[in-house]
């Protein structure tokens, strides 16, 4: 069935961000604030043995809500923030060799996750646009079919009870509810044909 409205809480956030896009500078600023906050929380609450833990959900969330560009920026900033937070000024290269390798792997994996999250966001954008188009077409189809039903009732008056029952049998608000738009309309058409045993296409007189 066609989903016309997001259901989960995070889906609603992503849909809201798609419907109300923020300015580019604002999105990058929000991404920077989120990552710096995650870095501060890492210093306060997460041991150095898990330096990248908080950055992963923060970066993926940024990519889903704010888009690919801010997500990639967040991935690079996460890596830099993590390196700064666990570095040692007394060490010749700031970090041990193993930590530099870990930071590089984190950057590569995070950028890959950001690209995947951005594709999911784009897929949701396409889904919302498609659902809106389907709902619009359903309303248009019903507007075209109702005159045909009126013509049928005029031509075959012994069928008004069943025909009128199906004419008003699907409330208009169903077309904008989750998963019901196109399915409800198909049910309405099939049920009308089954009960009335009639074609809804008017013939020329």
């Amino acid at each position: 069935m066609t989903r016309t409205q997001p259901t989960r809480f995070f889906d609603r956030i992503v849909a809201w961000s798609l419907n109300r896009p923020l300015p580019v500078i604002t999105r990058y600023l929000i991404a920077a604030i989120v990552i710096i906050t995650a870095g501060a929380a890492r210093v306060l609450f997460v041991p150095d043995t898990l330096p990248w833990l908080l950055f992963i959900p923060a970066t993926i969330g940024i990519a889903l809500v704010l888009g690919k560009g801010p997500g990639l920026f967040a991935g690079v900033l996460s890596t830099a923030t993590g390196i700064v937070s666990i570095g040692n000024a007394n060490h010749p290269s700031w970090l041990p060799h193993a930590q530099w390798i870990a930071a590089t792997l984190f950057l590569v994996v995070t950028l890959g996750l950001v690209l995947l999250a951005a594709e999911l966001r784009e897929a949701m954008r396409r889904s919302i646009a498609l659902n809106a188009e389907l709902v619009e077409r359903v309303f248009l189809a019903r507007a075209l079919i109702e005159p045909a039903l009126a013509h049928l009732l005029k031509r075959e008056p012994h069928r008004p009870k069943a025909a009128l029952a199906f004419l008003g049998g699907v409330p208009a608000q169903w077309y904008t509810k989750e998963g019901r738009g196109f399915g409800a309309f198909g049910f309405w058409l099939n049920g009308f044909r089954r009960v009335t045993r009639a074609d809804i296409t008017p013939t020329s007189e």
Side-chain angles (χ1 to χ4, degrees), residues 102-147:
T104 303
L105 291 175
F106 170 78
L107 178 61
V108 172
V109 172
T110 300
L111 294 183
L113 292 174
V114 164
L115 294 176
L116 177 60
E119 286 300 318
L120 291 175
R121 173 184 167 86
E122 180 62 19
M124 187 170 183
R125 184 195 65 77
R126 291 194 297 266
S127 175
I128 291 173
L130 176 61
N131 285 333
E133 182 180 352
L134 286 177
V135 170
E136 183 180 355
R137 290 185 179 185
V138 166
F139 276 116
L140 177 61
R142 185 167 184 175
L144 293 174
I145 287 172
E146 285 181 352

Side-chain angles (χ1 to χ4, degrees), residues 4-90:
T4 58
Q5 295 291 335
T7 54
R8 297 189 181 92
F9 175 73
F10 203 78
D11 285 355
R12 292 182 182 274
I13 295 176
V14 176
W16 180 88
S17 70
L18 289 169
N19 293 329
R20 299 170 180 82
L22 298 172
V24 175
I25 296 178
T26 302
R27 287 187 284 143
Y28 279 86
L29 181 61
I30 293 174
I33 292 173
V34 170
I35 295 304
I36 292 173
T37 303
R42 194 224 69 78
V43 172
L44 293 174
F45 305 111
V46 181
D48 290 348
T49 53
L50 298 171
W52 318 107
L53 182 63
L54 297 181
F55 294 114
I56 296 174
T59 304
I60 294 175
I62 289 170
L64 282 172
V65 176
L66 300 179
K68 181 168 66 174
L72 295 174
F73 169 73
V76 175
L77 184 60
S78 294
T79 305
T81 304
I83 290 173
V84 171
S85 67
I86 62 175
N88 187 350
N90 296 324

